[in-house]
Amino acid sequence: MKFFARLKKDIRVIFERDPAAKSTLEVIFCYSGLHAIWLHRISHALFKRGWIVSARLISNFCRFLTGIEIHPGATIGDGLFIDHGTGIVIGETAEIGRNVTLYQGVTLGGTGKEKGKRHPTIGNNVVIATGAKVLGSFKVGDHAKIGAGSVVLKEVPPYATVVGIPGRVVVLHGVRVHNEEEFKKAWLEHCKKRGLNVDDPKIYSEICEEIDVDLCHNELPDPEREMIEIALRQIQRLEERVQELEIELSAAKAEISMEARRTSALEVIVEDSDSKSKEKLK
């Protein structure tokens, strides 16, 4: 991708995924995630040429400036969006695909002192929410979502939603919460108003690929809450059943008491008749 076209795409994805972005100047001068990406490209180019110290110096300067630590050896695809990036750490052998979104506090790290590939590979159109930790040399599939605060320690299949500690898949190929076609149409119209040539097949395909990122990382299932709710419903059913049995027991006790009274009355009558019969015989 040509240099200026790549810069334009970096700016465009911010407008697509951050409703707070108001102007191009604001994005260029005030978005630390964008600065981190641009500085990483410089450090990565130096790292690939073997200029390790220079690359690490730029990486450290980037961390000082933005609060985002990206190792120069990390491979980052086009369309990365870092939102409120303070505390983000991306390891040396991490690989990030196209149109990935990272929120504050995300870590793409390793799990030990092993050599070689030791950091995760992130697929295309992945959203990793605030504070999530992805640790290990496995792959996170395309279009996956990782919930806030999750700790992911094993491979994530495409179109999966992962939550919890340790992270576990709770939705796979789930139904989206919005109408994708209507959203795509509205956004293309918006891009057209901003002067982009959406009739150009290349630009059209790029925009469609970029907006196919489901940012609803707050609308994730909570399996622990679901289990608690199931347990509460079961307890409620048991309480209702106990109440029914108590009512039945009370009714049975009342019936037994009435039967006992009737039996006592019959015994009295029988005794009276016996005594009368004995008196007649005398």
Side-chain angles (χ1 to χ4, degrees):
M1 184 179 287
K2 293 182 180 179
F3 178 74
F4 287 106
R6 201 172 190 185
L7 295 184
K8 287 181 180 179
K9 179 169 183 175
D10 293 334
I11 295 169
R12 186 172 69 234
V13 297
I14 292 175
F15 281 105
E16 290 168 358
R17 299 182 217 168
D18 187 3
K22 301 295 189 298
S23 68
T24 302
L25 284 177
E26 178 196 10
V27 169
I28 292 173
F29 291 107
C30 301
Y31 275 69
S32 59
L34 184 62
H35 303 155
I37 293 168
W38 286 349
L39 286 170
H40 170 73
R41 287 182 186 152
I42 298 172
S43 67
H44 184 64
L46 295 174
F47 187 85
K48 288 172 66 177
R49 286 168 172 79
W51 299 355
I52 307 299
V53 176
S54 299
R56 291 303 300 270
L57 285 172
I58 293 174
S59 173
N60 285 345
F61 173 72
C62 174
R63 180 179 61 183
F64 171 78
L65 181 68
T66 65
I68 300 168
E69 182 173 350
I70 308 176
H71 193 283
T75 303
I76 296 178
D78 296 325
L80 173 65
F81 174 49
I82 298 176
D83 193 11
H84 299 287
T86 303
I88 283 179
V89 178
I90 300 175
E92 178 185 5
T93 60
E95 299 176 38
I96 299 177
R98 300 187 308 276
N99 306 314
V100 172
T101 301
L102 304 179
Y103 288 89
Q104 177 267 333
V106 167
T107 298
L108 306 180
T111 56
K113 296 182 179 180
E114 67 273 15
K115 301 293 184 180
K117 175 67 172 168
R118 59 190 184 278
H119 298 100
T121 298
I122 310 299
N124 302 324
N125 300 80
V126 173
V127 175
I128 306 180
T130 303
K133 313 300 177 186
V134 186
L135 308 175
S137 58
F138 53 84
K139 183 173 182 179
V140 176
D142 297 347
H143 301 271
K145 286 193 294 184
I146 298 175
S150 301
V151 178
V152 184
L153 303 174
K154 58 184 180 180
E155 187 165 342
V156 177
Y159 292 92
T161 300
V162 176
V163 299
I165 303 175
R168 54 198 177 278
V169 176
V170 292
V171 171
L172 185 61
H173 292 278
V175 179
R176 297 172 73 96
V177 295
H178 56 74
N179 187 315
E180 183 179 351
E181 289 303 319
E182 291 182 1
F183 177 68
K184 185 181 293 184
K185 183 179 178 181
W187 185 253
L188 287 169
E189 190 65 29
H190 174 71
C191 291
K192 190 174 182 179
K193 290 179 181 178
R194 290 179 53 232
L196 291 174
N197 183 16
V198 296
D199 296 324
D200 185 333
K202 185 177 180 181
I203 294 177
Y204 176 85
S205 62
E206 279 187 8
I207 293 174
C208 290
E209 185 182 48
E210 290 160 11
I211 64 177
D212 192 22
V213 179
D214 190 349
L215 298 176
C216 298
H217 61 279
N218 61 316
E219 300 178 7
L220 303 180
D222 186 345
E224 293 179 0
R225 180 179 177 181
E226 290 173 1
M227 292 301 296
I228 291 171
E229 289 177 349
I230 290 171
L232 289 174
R233 286 195 294 269
Q234 183 68 17
I235 291 170
Q236 185 177 1
R237 284 196 294 268
L238 291 172
E239 288 177 346
E240 291 173 354
R241 181 57 182 158
V242 168
Q243 290 176 357
E244 291 174 0
L245 291 173
E246 286 178 346
I247 292 171
E248 292 177 4
L249 181 60
S250 298
K253 285 181 177 178
E255 187 175 347
I256 290 170
S257 178
M258 291 178 63
E259 188 66 29
R261 286 198 293 270
R262 284 197 297 269
T263 303
S264 298
L266 288 172
E267 288 176 352
V268 170
I269 293 170
V270 169
E271 288 177 359
D272 290 343
S273 62
D274 288 344
S275 59
K276 289 178 182 180
S277 299
K278 289 178 181 178
E279 288 179 358
K280 286 180 181 181
L281 289 173
K282 290 179 180 178

